[in-house]
Amino acid sequence: MTHQTNKHDLNNRLVTNDNLLTINSEHALQKELISRIKLYMEAEYVVLYLYSPVSSDFELVQVSTRKTNQFKRFLYKDKVINKDVTDDKKFVIHNGDQALHSLTTSINYLIPIQQDQSIIGYMLLGYSKGKIKTKEFEKRCKFICKESYSLLNNTKTHLQTKEQANKYELMYRVTQKLNSSMNPSDVLEEIVNTIQSIYPYFTCNLFLSRNYKNERKLPVKELNYNDKYAEKQSIQAFLTGEMRQEQNIEKNKSYLFAPLRGKQGIYGVLQIKVKQLIQFDDDAIDFFRILADSAGNALENAQLYEQSTQLISDLQLINEITHRLNANLRLADTANFLKEQLKTSFEVEDIGFILFQDDSTDYVLLQQSSDCFHSDLLDTLARDIFPVIKKQKEAIFVGDFEKKYPQIHTKLKSVMMMPMIQSEELKGIVILLNHQPNFFSFDDFKLIRSIVQHSTLAFVNSQLREQLEQSLITDYLTKLYARRFLDEKCEYHLENDERGVFLLIDIDDFKNINDTYGHEMGDKLLVQVSHILRECTEEIGFAARWGGEELAVYLPELTTEAGMKIASHLVIDVEEKTNPSITISIGMACWNRYRPINMQQLFDQADRSLYEAKRLGKNGVVKIN
C-alpha cells in the first residue's frame, strides 16, 4: 500500500473499528493513534501529552520517535505553555518549539485535543522543513483534534466493554458444560469397551480420586494419593497431570498412566496394563490421552452438577471480592476488605499479609494482619518457610503444621500460605490460620487460592499507586517532602488555620563543605540534617527540601514563642548530631489571623530573616517583622 493510499484511508477515521478490536490497552491505542496522525499530517514526529490528575499537568505519554529525551515532560511545569492560555478553551494551534529541550531548525505545532470546552491533552507535531499553517493544515488539525478526543476519552469504556464481552464468552462456555446431561458411568463404560475392542490384549483400570457408584462392575478403584504412595507412577500422573510409563521387568508387564483431566482439575488416572515389556507408540499414547481427557471431562461435569449451588455461591464471592478490590482502594483498605471476607466466608481465625520488597528477602508485614503475626512467629516463618515458597512459588496447605514441621517449634494447626504471584514474580504471601487441626477442606483451599490470585493484582496496583503518590511529593535524596508539596500544604494552612510558623533553613558554608569533603559527603550531611528535621517536626509539622542545601519546615498552629523554641533546638541538634559537625542558620516567619499574610509574603519574610541570621554570624535563628 502506498503512502497516498494510506492517507486517503485516514480521511474518514484515524483508527477504524476493525483496528480497535485488536487493541487491548490504552498504551496500544495511544501508539496506534500517533502513528496514524504522523502519517496523516506528514509529520517528522508526533508527541502525545495527556492531562494527569496526579501532577495537575499535561504529561508526555507517547512519542513516535526513539529520541524521547529531546522532549520536555510537562507542559505547565516545564513552561511549554502558560496555564492562562489553556483557560481560554478556544481551539488554538500553539507554537510548540518550547516543548524541546534544545531549539532546532525544525518547526513544531502544539495542537489541543479538545471538544467544546474540554481539553484532555495536546499533540505536538514536528517538521524538519517549513510547514505553513494553511487553511487545509488547520482543517486537518481540527480533524485530528476531534478524532483524538473521541478515541482517547472513550478508551476506558472501550476496554471495559471488550473485557466484559470476554467474560460473557467464558460464562457461555461454562454454562454449556454445566448444562451437559452426560452420565459419567456411561462414558466410563464406553471407554472401557472401546479399549477392549481396539486393544483386546490390554487391560484397563480406572483409579478415581473420589467414590462413584459402580453398579456396572467397571474396573474402578479408589486412588490413594497419600505420602505412602507418593512415588507411584499413578500418583505422579495424578499430581502432575502428565502421562507416565512404567516397565516391571520382574513381572514382565508394561503400564501406561493417563491422568483424567478436566478443565478445573484432575479426577483420577486411567491405567493401561500390558503383559509384556513394550514401549507405547505415539499413536497409542495420543489415543489414550483423548480417552482419558474425555473421562476427566465427564467426571468433572458430574461434580459440577452436584456442586452447582456451591459453585454459583463461590463465583458470586469471587466476583464480589474482585469487583470491590478493583475499585482503586488504598493498600490498607484492600487488606482490610480481604481480611473480613476470608474470615466471614471460611472462618479463618488469623490472617497475615506479607509483601516482599522487589527481589530481596526483605518483607513488610501489613498492619492489618492479626496480632499473632506481630511476634516471633513471623520471624520463624520468614526464616524456615518463606525461602521455600520464594523458590517453589507454590502454596502450602497443612492440616497440622506442628506435626508436619516439628523442627520449627510452633503450635500452629491448620495453615494455608498462599503466594501472591504477578507476572511470574512473588509479590507476597497471604497466611491463613485456624487453631483446630484439619479445619480447612481441599475445596476451601482451591477457592481461597483463586481469591488470592484475583486479589494479587489489586494489592500490587494499590502498592504501586501509593509508591507513585509518595514519589511525586517526596525529594529523592533527603526523603523530605518536595517543594511543590510544601507550597500546596502552606497555602492550605494559610487559608484554614489561626496561626503558623515557617522556618527557612540553610546549611552554613555548604560550598566549603563540598570543596573540603567532596560532594558525596555533602549529600550525606544534607541527609543527616534532613533526618534531624524530620524527627523533630513529624508530629507537629512537616519538613521539605526548599532547593539545593536549603530546607524548610512549616509548623501549623504554633505561636511565635513555640516556633522560636523549636528552631533553637534544631540549631543545637544539628551541631551536636552531624558528623562531621556542621551548623545551620534559620530564618523564621510567623503569622496569625490578626496579621494575615499570603504565601509569597511568608516566604519573603523568612528569606529576609535568614539573610539577617547569616549576616549576624550564622549558626542561629532570626525573626524579623
Side-chain angles (χ1 to χ4, degrees):
M1 184 177 292
T2 66
H3 180 81
Q4 188 64 34
T5 304
N6 278 336
K7 194 194 308 182
H8 177 76
D9 290 342
L10 294 173
N11 284 335
N12 294 320
R13 293 293 304 276
L14 278 174
V15 181
T16 65
N17 290 333
D18 289 339
N19 295 130
L20 283 174
L21 292 175
T22 65
I23 295 173
N24 296 310
S25 67
E26 292 184 59
H27 177 80
L29 179 62
Q30 294 163 3
K31 188 174 182 180
E32 178 71 13
L33 177 63
I34 66 171
S35 175
R36 294 298 181 110
I37 289 176
K38 179 183 176 184
L39 176 65
Y40 180 68
M41 298 299 294
E42 300 177 338
E44 293 294 325
Y45 51 79
V46 179
V47 182
L48 176 62
Y49 291 87
L50 292 181
Y51 185 77
S52 168
V54 176
S55 61
S56 300
D57 203 342
F58 292 93
E59 186 172 358
L60 186 150
V61 296
Q62 196 69 247
V63 180
S64 68
T65 176
R66 294 182 179 180
K67 299 179 180 179
T68 57
N69 294 332
Q70 73 184 60
F71 304 106
K72 293 181 180 178
R73 181 178 174 185
F74 298 101
L75 296 187
Y76 291 157
K77 181 179 178 181
D78 294 330
K79 300 180 180 179
V80 178
I81 55 175
N82 192 304
K83 194 171 185 179
D84 296 336
V85 174
T86 61
D87 290 338
D88 190 20
K89 306 298 185 183
K90 293 181 180 179
F91 180 83
V92 178
I93 300 176
H94 302 280
N95 183 343
D97 291 343
Q98 292 299 320
L100 279 71
H101 286 292
S102 58
L103 296 179
T104 64
T105 58
S106 62
I107 296 179
N108 298 276
Y109 298 105
L110 197 62
I111 302 168
I113 301 172
Q114 70 180 94
Q115 182 170 310
D116 299 326
Q117 298 294 308
S118 176
I119 298 177
I120 63 171
Y122 282 86
M123 199 79 68
L124 179 70
L125 305 181
Y127 298 89
S128 60
K129 299 180 180 179
K131 184 71 176 181
I132 302 174
K133 287 198 298 183
T134 63
K135 290 185 177 180
E136 175 64 22
F137 179 81
E138 292 182 2
K139 180 180 177 181
R140 288 184 173 234
C141 288
K142 289 181 179 179
F143 169 72
I144 66 171
C145 161
K146 179 181 177 182
E147 279 289 286
S148 300
Y149 184 94
S150 176
L151 288 166
L152 295 172
N153 203 38
N154 295 314
T155 297
K156 187 176 294 185
T157 303
H158 161 71
L159 295 175
Q160 288 175 347
T161 302
K162 177 177 282 191
E163 182 180 357
Q164 193 68 18
N166 291 336
K167 290 181 180 178
Y168 282 133
E169 182 181 357
L170 175 62
M171 185 56 65
Y172 175 73
R173 294 200 300 267
V174 172
T175 303
Q176 280 186 316
K177 297 170 187 173
L178 292 175
N179 291 336
S180 174
S181 60
M182 184 183 299
N183 186 317
S185 296
D186 291 340
V187 174
L188 294 176
E189 183 176 41
E190 183 64 27
I191 288 175
V192 171
N193 292 337
T194 301
I195 292 174
Q196 290 178 345
S197 63
I198 298 179
Y199 297 99
Y201 300 106
F202 289 6
T203 303
C204 72
N205 290 297
L206 294 165
F207 296 93
L208 305 181
S209 58
R210 57 175 296 185
N211 290 326
Y212 283 87
K213 292 182 180 179
N214 189 11
E215 300 173 350
R216 307 182 189 181
K217 306 299 181 182
L218 297 172
V220 175
K221 300 179 181 179
E222 185 177 356
L223 180 69
N224 294 315
Y225 52 95
N226 54 34
D227 291 344
K228 180 179 179 181
Y229 301 99
E231 299 303 320
K232 282 183 168 290
Q233 293 297 333
S234 58
I235 301 301
Q236 288 300 308
F238 175 76
L239 294 175
T240 64
E242 299 176 354
M243 302 275 285
R244 298 279 176 155
Q245 293 191 52
E246 181 182 359
Q247 292 181 336
N248 190 320
I249 299 176
E250 294 180 359
K251 295 183 179 180
N252 195 37
K253 293 180 180 179
S254 300
Y255 300 89
L256 179 69
F257 300 93
L260 305 176
R261 299 178 299 189
K263 299 298 182 183
Q264 299 183 2
I266 300 173
Y267 302 93
V269 175
L270 168 65
Q271 180 202 60
I272 303 298
K273 180 171 61 176
V274 184
K275 294 183 178 179
Q276 57 179 309
L277 297 176
I278 65 168
Q279 189 71 28
F280 292 92
D281 58 39
D282 293 341
D283 289 340
I285 292 174
D286 288 339
F287 172 76
F288 290 121
R289 180 183 289 110
I290 293 172
L291 287 179
D293 287 345
S294 298
N297 284 321
L299 294 173
E300 183 171 79
N301 288 338
Q303 186 168 320
L304 288 173
Y305 179 79
E306 293 173 359
Q307 299 177 352
S308 59
T309 302
Q310 184 62 44
L311 176 61
I312 293 173
S313 176
D314 293 347
L315 289 174
Q316 288 174 339
L317 177 61
I318 293 175
N319 181 65
E320 178 185 353
I321 291 175
T322 304
H323 180 75
R324 185 77 175 90
L325 291 177
N326 285 338
N328 292 329
L329 298 176
R330 308 293 296 178
L331 186 58
D333 296 331
T334 300
N336 272 328
F337 174 76
L338 186 59
K339 177 181 179 180
E340 293 305 315
Q341 289 295 321
L342 294 175
K343 282 193 169 186
T344 301
S345 302
F346 302 97
E347 298 183 54
V348 175
E349 291 183 341
D350 294 304
I351 183 167
F353 299 100
I354 289 85
L355 298 181
F356 290 109
Q357 304 295 301
D358 300 323
D359 295 330
S360 68
T361 57
D362 296 335
Y363 62 85
V364 173
L365 174 70
L366 298 189
Q367 289 298 319
Q368 293 69 36
S369 303
S370 300
D371 292 340
C372 69
F373 293 100
H374 297 273
S375 65
D376 294 339
L377 171 62
L378 186 61
D379 294 334
T380 302
L381 295 176
R383 182 188 64 240
D384 298 322
I385 301 298
F386 289 0
V388 177
I389 297 178
K390 292 198 75 169
K391 181 179 180 181
Q392 300 179 353
K393 296 181 182 178
E394 295 289 340
I396 290 179
F397 176 36
V398 182
D400 194 331
F401 193 88
E402 188 177 24
K403 288 185 178 180
K404 176 75 173 178
Y405 301 100
Q407 75 280 7
I408 297 182
H409 304 297
T410 67
K411 295 183 179 180
L412 300 179
K413 296 300 180 182
S414 296
V415 176
M416 284 189 284
M417 297 189 188
M418 301 294 185
M420 304 171 71
I421 297 175
Q422 177 69 22
S423 300
E424 299 184 357
E425 292 185 10
L426 183 66
K427 301 295 185 180
I429 301 173
V430 179
I431 305 176
L432 305 101
L433 307 178
N434 189 287
H435 299 127
Q436 298 181 36
N438 304 308
F439 181 82
F440 302 116
S441 68
F442 188 65
D443 287 337
D444 290 339
F445 168 74
K446 291 192 295 183
L447 181 55
I448 292 173
R449 182 173 59 183
S450 179
I451 290 172
V452 171
Q453 288 173 347
H454 282 80
S455 305
T456 298
L457 182 59
F459 271 89
V460 172
N461 286 342
S462 296
Q463 189 178 28
L464 289 176
R465 185 164 53 250
E466 292 184 15
Q467 289 174 352
L468 176 60
E469 291 173 359
Q470 189 64 26
S471 68
L472 291 173
I473 64 172
T474 305
D475 176 64
Y476 78 98
L477 175 63
T478 63
K479 306 308 178 186
L480 299 179
Y481 288 118
R483 167 71 183 274
R484 180 179 164 191
F485 178 81
L486 175 74
D487 292 348
E488 293 175 355
K489 294 289 285 185
C490 285
E491 189 168 5
Y492 171 84
H493 285 289
L494 287 172
E495 293 176 357
N496 295 279
D497 292 355
E498 294 288 317
R499 63 181 62 83
V501 173
F502 179 74
L503 306 178
L504 189 57
I505 302 155
D506 184 75
I507 298 176
D508 295 331
D509 304 314
F510 193 71
K511 183 178 184 303
N512 291 338
I513 293 171
N514 281 332
D515 292 342
T516 304
Y517 298 105
H519 287 278
E520 184 177 353
M521 178 56 71
D523 286 347
K524 289 182 179 179
L525 285 169
L526 186 59
V527 171
Q528 290 180 39
V529 175
S530 301
H531 180 71
I532 294 170
L533 262 60
R534 188 164 51 246
E535 280 190 332
C536 292
T537 62
E538 63 182 352
E539 298 295 331
I540 55 175
F542 49 90
R545 187 175 185 182
W546 187 257
E549 72 273 17
E550 287 188 326
L551 309 170
V553 171
Y554 187 81
L555 305 167
E557 300 292 4
L558 257 62
T559 63
T560 301
E561 292 76 14
M564 181 62 72
K565 185 176 180 179
I566 290 172
S568 299
H569 278 302
L570 287 174
V571 170
I572 296 171
D573 284 350
V574 168
E575 187 172 13
E576 291 181 349
K577 296 180 179 180
T578 51
N579 183 23
S581 178
I582 59 174
T583 62
I584 58 174
S585 297
I586 300 179
M588 188 168 81
C590 305
W591 72 277
N592 57 54
R593 64 190 179 96
Y594 302 107
R595 199 155 47 87
I597 194 172
N598 64 35
M599 196 162 62
Q600 189 58 50
Q601 291 170 333
L602 183 72
F603 294 165
D604 289 344
Q605 185 183 130
D607 190 52
R608 292 197 304 272
S609 298
L610 177 60
Y611 178 81
E612 186 65 12
K614 293 285 189 180
R615 190 185 70 80
L616 293 175
K618 306 176 183 178
N619 194 24
V621 185
V622 169
K623 173 192 173 297
I624 62 174
N625 294 325

